[in-house]
Amino acid sequence: KAKESSGGNYCIYEKYMDFRSLDSIKLESDLNKALQNNEFQIYYQPQVDFLNKKIVGVEALIRWKHPLRGMISPMEFISIAEETGLIVPIGEWVLKTACKQVEEWHDQGFPPIYLSVNMAAQQFKQKSLIPMIHAILEETGLSPEFLVLELTENAIIKDTEATICVMKQLRELGIRIAIDDFGTGYSSLGYLKNFPIDTLKIDQTFVKDIVQDKNNAAITNTIISLAKNLNLNVIAEGVETQEQIDFLLSSNCSYMQGYYFSRPVSGSDVEKLFYATITN
Ligand code: C2E
Ligand code: MG
Ligand code: MG
Ligand code: MG
């Protein structure tokens, strides 16, 4: 009898799976057309230096304005884009569009800011990566010193030799490298010293209850000291409250990004933020 009922459950489970895969197949074919149909948009989230009360950079974050489903978060489609390889053309589009936008801001006389762009592991493995980035910088006119590529730990630990080689070439161009979501991946501290990186981004899960949770406070402090000792920049992600700011400042971390300052916003809304900071 037990066997019978578990068989029944299995059947229901299988139907559910079919439904899921059909749904994701649909999303996948939609994703395929999204680039041609101009359905992607880039939002920008400011990164601030709290001590100097300045916007020092923006992170480009992709959005998908699906004609039927409305706004779809990258959390929902980036993994599909990675599985299908679509992340390569999508990532190239993000880089080109964001470089063009930031160079326009520089030309308009806004304070020079960095541009951070997220990179998937698959993009980083492309042989054409360096020429592609080089061509985009030439075409848009953005100086490489303003570009920061964000990679997660898991993206860089897979093929360390090759990764280090690509990172070195990027740095020779003047491009900087940040480790995103630092502390949540599988990289070992020993690896860290071998990678030619510039910045650690403290993951928002640690920052979230920095004030209430002693362990998260300890991890955050450890990442900040680690960065200082290795001569790396450090920036805290997901900063939402004054209490978190106070904690970070007392721990000597003044670079922050989070809803407290601004959610990711459209390009024209970033310009309003620039005006607000200039006139303050
Ligand atoms: P991420 O690179 O770690 O980006 C930070 C995420 O945290 C963003 O979510 C941002 O909106 C959110 N965030 C920022 N401040 C706060 C805060 O104070 N509180 C909370 N709760 N959240 C905050 P978003 O835009 O949904 O992006 C999610 C992830 O999708 C990104 O995480 C990144 O891994 C990926 N992603 C986004 N755009 C791209 C892209 O162009 N290429 C690639 N490969 N991945 C991307
Ligand atoms: Mg990021
Ligand atoms: Mg992050
Ligand atoms: Mg992330």
Side-chain angles (χ1 to χ4, degrees), residues 3 25 27-28 57 91 104 109 134 163 168 175 205:
K3 210 177 173 189
I25 287 166
L27 206 62
E28 188 184 315
E104 266 169 36
H134 191 76
T163 302
K168 281 184 176 156
I175 294 164
T205 52

Side-chain angles (χ1 to χ4, degrees), residues 37-53:
N37 296 347
N38 250 317
E39 291 165 10
F40 292 121
Q41 205 184 336
I42 299 179
Y43 273 30
Y44 300 88
Q45 187 177 36
Q47 302 177 326
V48 305
D49 174 3
F50 195 85
L51 285 186
N52 294 312
K53 298 273 190 298

Side-chain angles (χ1 to χ4, degrees), residues 5-218:
S5 74
S6 81
N9 279 337
Y10 177 71
C11 226
I12 290 166
Y13 182 65
E14 206 170 41
K15 271 183 195 147
Y16 171 74
M17 291 297 285
D18 279 343
F19 163 75
R20 283 289 306 160
S21 60
L22 270 180
D23 194 58
S24 66
I25 287 166
K26 181 77 179 75
L27 206 62
E28 188 184 315
S29 76
D30 286 354
L31 196 58
N32 226 325
K33 289 174 284 185
L35 209 48
Q36 287 161 247
N37 296 347
N38 250 317
E39 291 165 10
F40 292 121
Q41 205 184 336
I42 299 179
Y43 273 30
Y44 300 88
Q45 187 177 36
Q47 302 177 326
V48 305
D49 174 3
F50 195 85
L51 285 186
N52 294 312
K53 298 273 190 298
K54 273 198 317 198
I55 298 177
V56 289
V58 290
E59 177 174 3
L61 294 157
I62 193 170
R63 298 289 179 264
W64 182 9
K65 216 171 169 187
H66 191 285
L68 298 174
R69 299 185 193 209
M71 278 291 196
I72 304 182
S73 146
M75 309 276 250
E76 274 182 70
F77 69 85
I78 289 291
S79 58
I80 301 174
E82 285 177 342
E83 284 160 26
T84 56
L86 283 168
I87 193 65
V88 174
I90 292 173
E92 185 172 343
W93 177 85
V94 170
L95 188 68
K96 189 185 286 181
T97 312
C99 285
K100 188 163 171 264
Q101 173 66 86
V102 170
E103 178 58 14
E104 266 169 36
W105 286 332
H106 290 179
D107 284 346
Q108 285 171 40
F110 290 121
I113 51 158
Y114 293 108
L115 166 65
S116 284
V117 178
N118 294 286
M119 281 263 141
Q122 217 178 333
Q123 284 178 276
F124 213 70
K125 277 188 295 198
Q126 300 287 308
K127 285 217 174 64
S128 54
L129 181 81
I130 303 284
M132 184 272 280
I133 293 176
H134 191 76
I136 286 177
L137 292 172
E138 290 264 285
E139 187 190 322
T140 61
L142 185 74
S143 172
E145 293 81 61
F146 292 114
L147 183 59
V148 183
L149 299 181
E150 294 192 2
L151 289 152
T152 62
E153 288 161 81
N154 299 344
I156 63 170
I157 56 163
K158 272 169 203 152
D159 189 355
T160 47
E161 287 295 308
T163 302
I164 291 172
C165 178
V166 176
M167 284 178 167
K168 281 184 176 156
Q169 292 177 68
L170 289 167
R171 281 182 112 213
E172 271 162 28
L173 288 175
I175 294 164
R176 275 158 243 241
I177 294 155
I179 304 300
D180 204 354
D181 307 340
F182 186 76
T184 61
Y186 298 104
S187 76
S188 79
L189 295 182
Y191 276 168
L192 205 57
K193 69 169 202 285
N194 297 324
F195 287 110
I197 56 174
D198 302 275
T199 301
L200 299 181
K201 293 191 79 175
I202 307 170
D203 189 68
Q204 47 182 287
T205 52
F206 305 126
V207 177
K208 203 172 170 222
D209 18 62
I210 222 175
V211 185
Q212 298 84 7
D213 184 320
K214 283 207 172 73
N215 291 331
N216 283 339

